[in-house]
Amino acid sequence: MTDKTSNQMWGGRFAAGPDAIMEAINASIGFDQRMAAQDIAGSRAHAAMLAATGIVSDKDAEAMREGLLTILSEIEEGKFAFSTALEDIHMNVEARLKEVIGEPAGRLHTGRSRNDQVATDFRLWVRDQVDAAIDGLQALMAALLDQAEAGADWVMPGFTHLQTAQPVTWGHHMMAYVEMFARDLSRFRDARVRMNESPLGAAALAGTSFPIDRQMTAEALGFDRPMANSLDAVSDRDFALEFLGASTICAMHLSRMAEELVIWSSAQFRFVTLSDRFSTGSSIMPQKKNPDAAELIRAKIGRIFGANVALTMVMKGLPLAYSKDMQEDKEQVFDAADNLMLALAAMTGMVSDMTANRASLEAAAGSGFSTATDLADWLVRALNMPFRDAHHVTGSLVAMAEKRGCDLPDLTLADMQSVHDKITDEVFGVLGVHNSVASRMSYGGTAPTRVREQVARWREVLA
């Protein structure tokens, strides 16, 4: 094969041949520079420990720590020149440290490897994202609690199969999402506890012969303890997978709520009005107000779930300990974290700004024979009728009302007694939608009293 043919195969971007391709596929600085703050925090903790254990002098350790702060400032101010030739954030920082402080920089890597260094940096970065997700979920739950409290006694239709089922309250519907996002909050908190162990000091895979103090660096970085097995410490990416798993379920919940907002804001429902801040117009239809933010939130689950699957596929066939495949662990996690936080912020904004249209909710609450179950329950309570018989009687009355084009409360007592002669006029006391929701006093029910109790409970929990 001629050089000309070879260059054609590599393509214009890799005209220099295999060396250029190897540099491009091996480098991660294009994305792992996002971990600069975590990398420098880990290195500063490591330097302090090296001095405390007598492995390096206090003077050299102080020079390293100060030099690292200088580099962090350069990065934060956009003055740092990242080099692809130096592969990753760790080598970029170390090379710049040598330029800043000279010979002591070469002592920083004593007692550690890039394997435990990257594991520590990534774990710190993911932990920060978990904390951000926790904050975001708490803000969303607070916005939902405000909506629930304001509409604790506003009636609306509850649905099964997207068909009118029974009346519920707006507050009860909002509180359902509080419960869902509370489970997400619990998952992130639980994952944080499990990931809060330090890989630093595991070195390449077997530990180190230097008398390092891993407990000291763990405490300095806010970890509960050092990881107990050096092989596991450099191999483990469960913390990232758990973050993605929790993010996937959370994004699914966000998507479900976004779907309801898309439906509810339509001209056919008019249950809610979304603010202009989270809606857009049409390029040719002036009457349109599109729920674009909700639709985009609904789509985020695809990216986040995709990241979860991608990292699982990367890890599933890897032997212990570190393999270069694990360089592919970060980009999808970074993307998932970005999109989760954006979706949480957008949903919090929409919930805070949206207006529930009480009149439309109430008008829809009584449609579709939504109090039929209340009628059946009354027949059981008042007439001691077996529920299956009550179900049959109620079905006959629904069919009668449907044939006449009216709702159950519009039937006369004589109409009802033509189906069952023991029915009395007391039945009309349970057929209104407000009476229906007020009667649902069981724990977890939709009664306004229960909704307000749950709002108060969750405000106390979040406080």
Side-chain angles (χ1 to χ4, degrees):
M1 183 182 293
T2 66
D3 288 342
K4 181 178 180 181
T5 304
S6 175
N7 286 343
Q8 287 174 343
M9 288 182 65
W10 299 129
R13 184 178 175 193
F14 299 116
D19 290 347
I21 291 179
M22 191 58 199
E23 180 177 300
I25 199 171
N26 203 43
S28 60
I29 189 60
F31 52 85
D32 71 10
Q33 61 186 260
R34 291 185 63 162
M35 302 191 303
Q38 289 79 16
D39 187 72
I40 288 171
S43 290
R44 294 188 80 243
H46 187 68
M49 180 275 296
L50 291 176
T53 53
I55 297 171
V56 302
S57 68
D58 290 341
K59 181 180 178 182
D60 282 352
E62 185 62 22
M64 294 176 205
R65 286 168 58 80
E66 290 301 314
L68 288 165
L69 283 182
T70 298
I71 294 168
L72 181 61
S73 295
E74 291 175 351
I75 293 171
E76 290 175 343
E77 294 169 9
K79 298 177 180 177
F80 190 94
F82 292 102
S83 168
T84 304
L86 292 171
E87 294 185 14
D88 56 31
I89 185 61
H90 327 297
M91 297 302 291
N92 270 262
V93 169
E94 189 172 326
R96 177 62 182 144
L97 185 63
K98 186 173 183 180
E99 293 174 353
V100 173
I101 68 170
E103 187 266 342
R107 303 184 188 280
L108 177 59
H109 210 52
T110 307
R112 73 175 183 184
S113 160
R114 270 198 293 179
N115 292 355
D116 62 330
Q117 188 178 0
V118 67
T120 303
D121 293 0
F122 194 26
R123 194 174 287 250
L124 287 170
W125 192 92
V126 171
R127 191 181 70 182
D128 287 344
Q129 301 311 301
V130 168
D131 291 340
I134 289 170
D135 290 343
L137 281 164
Q138 288 176 325
L140 175 54
M141 291 169 68
L144 287 164
L145 288 173
D146 289 343
Q147 285 283 353
E149 190 167 34
D153 55 1
W154 299 358
V155 291
M156 66 175 290
F159 300 95
T160 60
H161 309 278
L162 206 56
Q163 306 292 315
T164 299
Q166 293 175 262
V168 296
T169 55
W170 172 257
H172 193 56
H173 203 113
M174 294 297 100
M175 291 305 297
Y177 282 108
V178 170
E179 294 290 337
M180 290 166 70
F181 292 123
R183 292 193 294 273
D184 294 321
L185 186 64
S186 174
R187 272 183 282 271
F188 281 115
R189 285 174 168 166
D190 185 52
R192 192 191 195 285
V193 171
R194 214 166 5 261
M195 72 176 61
N196 206 35
E197 296 183 340
S198 174
L200 191 57
L205 76 163
T208 178
S209 59
F210 289 98
I212 61 172
D213 184 345
R214 293 189 62 206
Q215 188 66 42
M216 179 180 173
T217 51
E219 290 177 2
L221 295 170
F223 290 114
D224 294 328
R225 64 191 69 83
M227 295 182 73
N229 184 283
S230 60
L231 276 170
D232 180 52
V234 298
S235 301
D236 174 51
R237 292 299 183 270
D238 288 1
F239 63 92
L241 287 167
E242 284 199 64
F243 170 71
L244 291 175
S247 297
T248 296
I249 299 173
C250 182
M252 178 268 291
H253 289 156
L254 289 167
S255 180
R256 293 183 70 181
M257 186 167 194
E259 170 71 2
E260 293 210 312
L261 293 182
V262 170
I263 294 170
W264 289 353
S265 62
S266 68
Q268 289 72 30
F269 274 74
R270 299 187 186 277
F271 283 5
V272 299
T273 301
L274 300 178
S275 74
D276 291 346
R277 294 201 309 158
F278 294 97
S279 307
T280 63
S282 166
S283 61
I284 64 169
M285 295 171 282
Q287 84 281 11
K288 294 289 293 298
K289 185 176 181 181
N290 300 324
D292 282 8
E295 292 171 349
L296 289 167
I297 289 171
R298 191 172 58 184
K300 295 298 183 186
I301 177 65
R303 297 178 70 138
I304 295 170
F305 178 68
N308 193 10
V309 173
L311 183 54
T312 302
M313 291 301 100
V314 167
M315 297 302 299
K316 75 173 184 65
L318 297 187
L320 298 181
Y322 180 84
S323 298
K324 193 66 172 180
D325 311 50
M326 293 165 74
Q327 183 169 291
E328 291 297 311
D329 60 359
K330 296 171 193 67
E331 284 181 281
Q332 51 263 45
V333 177
F334 293 162
D335 184 74
D338 289 347
N339 282 283
L340 177 67
M341 291 311 303
L342 184 58
L344 281 169
M347 184 60 81
T348 302
M350 278 195 296
V351 170
S352 299
D353 286 2
M354 72 182 179
T355 301
N357 301 325
R358 186 176 183 179
S360 297
L361 291 168
E362 184 159 347
S367 66
F369 309 105
S370 64
T371 56
T373 306
D374 297 277
L375 173 56
D377 288 347
W378 181 86
L379 292 170
V380 172
R381 288 196 311 271
L383 304 183
N384 197 30
M385 189 181 294
F387 182 79
R388 285 303 171 199
D389 295 345
H391 188 282
H392 178 75
V393 170
T394 302
S396 299
L397 291 170
V398 167
M400 179 187 293
E402 193 169 35
K403 186 175 181 180
R404 296 184 182 181
C406 67
D407 206 347
L408 285 173
D410 301 319
L411 295 175
T412 67
L413 180 59
D415 291 332
M416 293 192 180
Q417 288 177 339
S418 71
V419 175
H420 195 283
D421 60 3
K422 295 292 195 298
I423 295 176
T424 69
D425 59 3
E426 291 180 4
V427 72
F428 293 101
V430 302
L431 292 181
V433 291
H434 287 281
N435 291 332
S436 174
V437 297
S439 71
R440 307 291 172 183
M441 285 289 291
S442 58
Y443 181 79
T446 191
T449 300
R450 291 287 176 257
V451 171
R452 292 188 176 99
E453 287 173 355
Q454 291 299 322
V455 169
R457 178 177 76 88
W458 274 111
R459 287 203 189 281
E460 185 175 343
V461 169
L462 290 179

